[in-house]
Amino acid sequence: TTCASGATPAPTFDNFVATGNEEAVLRLRGLIPQVVDGTAVDRLVYLWGESGSGRSHLLQAISAQTEAGGFEARTLEPDAPPEAFEFDPAVTVWTIDDAERLDEWAQIAVFNLVNEVRAHPHAAIAISGAAAPMAMPLRSRMGRSTPKRLPLE
């Protein structure tokens, strides 16, 4: 999709083609308002699907929605420096794309970040990967801390 200017529009929930992924979009769209008001039940979300399934688009939409509401979003790359993974209570939502690329150190850092997010009811984390959680190395680090899992078609 392109704008009249020829530029690709920024990823939002409104311009995501949700065919087969309506539940994921509905849950993600409601996540930030619920986190902000402290009513979110599932503040840890894991999206998975093949390349082109919209994982990155949805993570970017979460960040855009957060920032449009006047709150801080932080996007982490798997190869981000250690200090990027340190919890900051000013951040409402954390997003991490391509979790399959997390090395051993980054998996530990994400595990620690997830624990911090769990302890702060006005924070959320959304992680995406190419495979279902059971097939991801991060799962062994998270143990019983299984996030809400949303497969994308």
Side-chain angles (χ1 to χ4, degrees):
T1 306
T2 57
C3 296
S5 67
T8 302
T12 66
F13 292 118
D14 291 334
N15 64 17
F16 180 73
V17 180
T19 306
N21 298 309
E22 293 83 3
E23 178 190 358
V25 173
L26 182 64
R27 286 181 179 269
L28 293 172
R29 189 184 289 265
L31 177 66
I32 300 309
Q34 292 172 358
V35 167
V36 168
D37 70 17
T39 62
V41 176
D42 298 317
R43 294 180 296 112
L44 294 107
V45 176
Y46 180 79
L47 301 167
W48 79 92
E50 295 178 5
S51 179
S53 64
R55 296 176 286 141
S56 298
H57 183 115
L58 289 172
L59 291 182
Q60 291 172 32
I62 292 168
S63 293
Q65 179 191 42
T66 303
E67 292 169 349
F71 301 97
E72 188 175 342
R74 185 164 302 162
T75 299
L76 300 174
E77 297 296 325
D79 58 356
E83 59 274 9
F85 290 89
E86 292 176 11
F87 182 78
D88 179 348
V91 176
T92 300
V93 68
W94 304 79
T95 63
I96 302 169
D97 204 358
D98 299 323
E100 66 277 5
R101 292 183 31 229
L102 293 166
D103 64 19
E104 184 76 14
W105 176 90
Q107 291 174 39
I108 293 167
V110 170
F111 174 76
N112 292 333
L113 181 58
V114 164
N115 286 336
E116 287 289 340
V117 167
R118 282 190 177 281
H120 292 81
H122 295 283
I125 188 167
I127 302 170
S128 77
M134 297 303 281
M136 296 292 289
L138 186 59
R139 178 191 60 86
S140 63
R141 293 260 180 241
M142 296 185 67
R144 297 181 335 174
S145 301
T146 304
K148 178 64 184 170
R149 296 166 289 197
L150 300 171
L152 300 176
E153 296 179 2

